[in-house]
C-alpha cells in the first residue's frame, strides 16, 4: 500500500460534564497526535455514551469500550468516564491496554484548572502508550527517544494499513501476522506474559500443592520409572494445553468478530496476542515449576529409597524423571487453580494495564475514587442504541 495512511481513533465520553470537556479537547487532541506522528492522517471521533453502570471495574469498562470500538471501526479508543474505578483494589486514574487498543481516563483526576487542555495532554500520552511508547505514561523503557518515536510511527502506519477484507482462515491470519508483526511483538512485550502466573495466586497454590503431594507418593515414583521420555513429553504438553484452555475458555479471553463489522483484522490480531500471552505465561510457569520440582526430587528423594520403591537401580536421571512427572501433574493442578480464579483476575493477569503515572502520582488532586460527577444514567452501553444527533458523532481532524 502506498501513500499516507489514515488512522481513526475514537473518544467515548460519559454524558454531562465529561462529554462537554471531551468536545473542547477533541481538536487539540487531534493536533497533538499529528505532531507526535505526522506520517499518518489522524481523525478523532467523539461519541457520548455511558458504557457501563456503576459500580464497575477497569476490566468491565475496557471490555465495553473495545466492543464499541470494533462496532464503529476505529483503530484505538479513549474512554472518558466519571465513574470511580478500581483494578487490583487500587484506584484507576488513567490506564492504557495495548492489547485491547483501549485507554481509560477518569475525569475527576483532571482537577479544576485547564481541564480540557489536561484532557488533551493525557489523551495524547495514553494514545502514545497504545502505540507502544510506554515511556509516555511513565513506564521506563531502555530504548532512546528517537528509537521510541520510530517504533511509534511504524505502529501507527501499521494500524492504518489494512489486510484484504475478503481473506479468510489461514490467509487472513498470515496477512495479519505478516503485516503487523512489529505491532504484535510490541503488544506481546507490553503484556509481559512471563509474569502471568505470578499474578494468579490460586493457580500457583494449586500447582505447588500438587507437586509436593506427587513427590512423596510412592506410586508416582513407580510410574516415573516405568514411563518413557516420549510419554513424559506428551504429558507435559497436555498439562500446559489444559491450563491454556482453562484460562482462555473459562475467562472468555477469545474474542469474536461483531456482526456487521469490518474489524476482523483487529480481532484476529487481538486473539493471536492473547493466545501467545497465555501460552508463554503458562510455559514460564511450567519451566519454573519443573526446575523447582526436580531440585526438590534430588534433595528429598534418596537413590536407595527410590530404588527400593521401584525395584530398579536409581540415579540422578530417575530423580529428574520423577521431578518432570510431578511438575506435569502439578501443572494439571494449576489448571484447576486457574478455574478457581475469577474472570476479572484472569483478565488482569493476561492483560497488563499501563498506568499514566503523571496523573496517578499527583499529590493534592481530587481523589479519583471520590470525585463528584454525574450520576449514572439509564443509557445503554450498546454501540447501536439510538442517540441524539449532537451526541452521535463529532470529528476533529
Amino acid at each position: 500500500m502506498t501513500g499516507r495512511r489514515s488512522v481513526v481513533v475514537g473518544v467515548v465520553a460519559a454524558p454531562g460534564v465529561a462529554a462537554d470537556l471531551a468536545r473542547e479537547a477533541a481538536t487539540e487532541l487531534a493536533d497533538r497526535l499529528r505532531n507526535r506522528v505526522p506520517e499518518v492522517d489522524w481523525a478523532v471521533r467523539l461519541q457520548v455514551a455511558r458504557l457501563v453502570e456503576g459500580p464497575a471495574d477497569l476490566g468491565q469498562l475496557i471490555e465495553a469500550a473495545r466492543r464499541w470500538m470494533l462496532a464503529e471501526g476505529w483503530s484505538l479508543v479513549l474512554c472518558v468516564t466519571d465513574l470511580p474505578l478500581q483494578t487490583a483494589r487500587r484506584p484507576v486514574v488513567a490506564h492504557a491496554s495495548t492489547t485491547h487498543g483501549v485507554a481509560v481516563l477518569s475525569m475527576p483526576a483532571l482537577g479544576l484548572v485547564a481541564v480540557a487542555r489536561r484532557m488533551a495532554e493525557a489523551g495524547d500520552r495514553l494514545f502514545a502508550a497504545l502505540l507502544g511508547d510506554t515511556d509516555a505514561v511513565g513506564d521506563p523503557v531502555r530504548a532512546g527517544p528517537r528509537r521510541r518515536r520510530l517504533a511509534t510511527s511504524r505502529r501507527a502506519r501499521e494500524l492504518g494499513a489494512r489486510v484484504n477484507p475478503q481473506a479468510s482462515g489461514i490467509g487472513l491470519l498470515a496477512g495479519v501476522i505478516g503485516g503487523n508483526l512489529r505491532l504484535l511483538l510490541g503488544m506481546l512485550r507490553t503484556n509481559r506474559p512471563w509474569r502471568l502466573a505470578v499474578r494468579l495466586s490460586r493457580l500457583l497454590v494449586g500447582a505447588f500443592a500438587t507437586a509436593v503431594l506427587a513427590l512423596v507418593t510412592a506410586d508416582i515414583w513407580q510410574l516415573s520409572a516405568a514411563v518413557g521420555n516420549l510419554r513424559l513429553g506428551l504429558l507435559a504438553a497436555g498439562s500446559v494445553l489444559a491450563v491454556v484452555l482453562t484460562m482462555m475458555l473459562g475467562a472468555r479471553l477469545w474474542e469474536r468478530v461483531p456482526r456487521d463489522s469490518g474489524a476482523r483484522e483487529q480481532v484476529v490480531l487481538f486473539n493471536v496476542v492473547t493466545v501467545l500471552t497465555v501460552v508463554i505465561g503458562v510455559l514460564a510457569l511450567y519451566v519454573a515449576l519443573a526446575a523447582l520440582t526436580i531440585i526438590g526430587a534430588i534433595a528429598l528423594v534418596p537413590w536407595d529409597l527410590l530404588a527400593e520403591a521401584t525395584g530398579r537401580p536409581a540415579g540422578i536421571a530417575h530423580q529428574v524423571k520423577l521431578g518432570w512427572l510431578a511438575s506435569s501433574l502439578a501443572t494439571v493442578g494449576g489448571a484447576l487453580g486457574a478455574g478457581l480464579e475469577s474472570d476479572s483476575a484472569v483478565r488482569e493477569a493476561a492483560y497488563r494495564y499501563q498506568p499514566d503515572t503523571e496523573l496517578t502520582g499527583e499529590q493534592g488532586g481530587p481523589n479519583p475514587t471520590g470525585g463528584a460527577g454525574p450520576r449514572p444514567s439509564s443509557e445503554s452501553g450498546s454501540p447501536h442504541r439510538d442517540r441524539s444527533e449532537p451526541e452521535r458523532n463529532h470529528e476533529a481532524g
Side-chain angles (χ1 to χ4, degrees):
M1 183 176 179
T2 60
R4 292 175 63 85
R5 292 169 177 172
S6 177
V7 177
V8 179
V9 299
V11 177
V12 180
V17 178
D20 295 338
L21 292 173
R23 288 190 184 96
E24 294 181 37
T27 301
E28 183 178 351
L29 177 57
D31 292 337
R32 287 178 176 272
L33 290 172
R34 281 191 287 268
N35 291 334
R36 182 180 289 275
V37 186
E39 293 84 359
V40 300
D41 292 324
W42 292 94
V44 178
R45 293 178 180 170
L46 170 65
Q47 292 192 359
V48 178
R50 187 170 299 282
L51 296 177
V52 296
E53 299 294 340
D57 59 30
L58 179 62
Q60 290 174 317
L61 188 56
I62 286 179
E63 186 177 354
R66 178 165 176 83
R67 288 197 302 267
W68 195 291
M69 178 187 74
L70 295 177
E72 297 293 340
W74 300 334
S75 298
L76 303 169
V77 65
L78 168 66
C79 177
V80 183
T81 182
D82 54 16
L83 295 176
L85 300 171
Q86 286 190 335
T87 178
R89 299 182 180 180
R90 295 190 302 273
V92 172
V93 177
H95 278 240
S97 173
T98 306
T99 306
H100 293 81
V102 175
V104 174
L105 176 61
S106 176
M107 187 192 66
L110 298 172
L112 301 175
V113 180
V115 183
R117 177 182 58 81
R118 298 187 66 205
M119 180 180 291
E121 292 175 352
D124 177 40
R125 290 196 305 271
L126 289 168
F127 278 129
L130 296 181
L131 292 173
D133 186 0
T134 55
D135 189 59
V137 292
D139 188 9
V141 292
R142 294 182 180 179
R146 182 176 181 275
R147 185 174 178 182
R148 290 200 308 273
R149 284 196 300 270
L150 291 174
T152 301
S153 174
R154 183 169 55 240
R155 290 173 188 175
R157 292 195 301 270
E158 288 172 345
L159 283 176
R162 286 292 173 262
V163 174
N164 179 11
Q166 303 302 322
S168 59
I170 299 299
L172 178 62
L173 179 62
V176 169
I177 295 178
N180 299 278
L181 182 59
R182 289 190 178 92
L183 180 61
L184 185 151
L185 295 176
M187 294 166 66
L188 190 61
R189 175 183 176 275
T190 301
N191 276 353
R192 298 181 182 178
W194 48 90
R195 299 179 58 184
L196 181 146
V198 178
R199 290 172 272 176
L200 293 175
S201 57
R202 289 191 180 92
L203 189 151
L204 283 175
V205 169
F208 281 115
T210 305
V212 170
L213 291 176
L215 284 179
V216 297
T217 304
D219 291 340
I220 300 299
W221 297 0
Q222 296 174 354
L223 184 60
S224 66
V227 299
N229 292 334
L230 178 60
R231 287 190 177 183
L232 284 175
L234 292 175
L235 178 61
S239 62
V240 169
L241 181 61
V243 178
V244 171
L245 290 178
T246 299
M247 295 180 65
M248 291 291 301
L249 301 178
R252 298 187 298 277
L253 300 182
W254 187 265
E255 187 172 77
R256 297 181 181 274
V257 182
R259 292 182 178 179
D260 303 324
S261 172
R264 295 180 64 204
E265 179 186 350
Q266 282 184 291
V267 173
V268 170
L269 182 62
F270 175 88
N271 286 333
V272 170
V273 173
T274 300
V275 170
L276 290 177
T277 297
V278 175
V279 169
I280 294 174
V282 174
L283 284 176
L285 165 70
Y286 183 83
V287 170
L289 190 61
L292 292 175
T293 308
I294 290 172
I295 292 174
I298 294 174
L300 299 177
V301 183
W303 290 358
D304 54 350
L305 190 60
L306 186 59
E308 181 181 348
T310 60
R312 303 179 183 182
I316 188 69
H318 296 83
Q319 290 173 313
V320 171
K321 288 181 64 177
L322 173 60
W324 187 5
L325 176 61
S327 62
S328 297
L329 297 176
T331 305
V332 175
L336 299 176
L340 297 176
E341 293 281 1
S342 66
D343 291 353
S344 60
V346 174
R347 291 193 187 99
E348 287 184 11
Y351 307 122
R352 179 172 176 267
Y353 302 146
Q354 302 163 237
D356 185 332
T357 55
E358 183 168 330
L359 285 175
T360 305
E362 284 183 345
Q363 300 296 328
N367 185 346
T369 62
R375 293 178 60 84
S377 71
S378 60
E379 292 188 41
S380 170
S382 170
H384 302 291
R385 180 167 178 92
D386 291 338
R387 299 183 292 272
S388 62
E389 190 60 33
E391 293 180 343
R392 196 170 190 75
N393 191 25
H394 171 77
E395 182 171 345

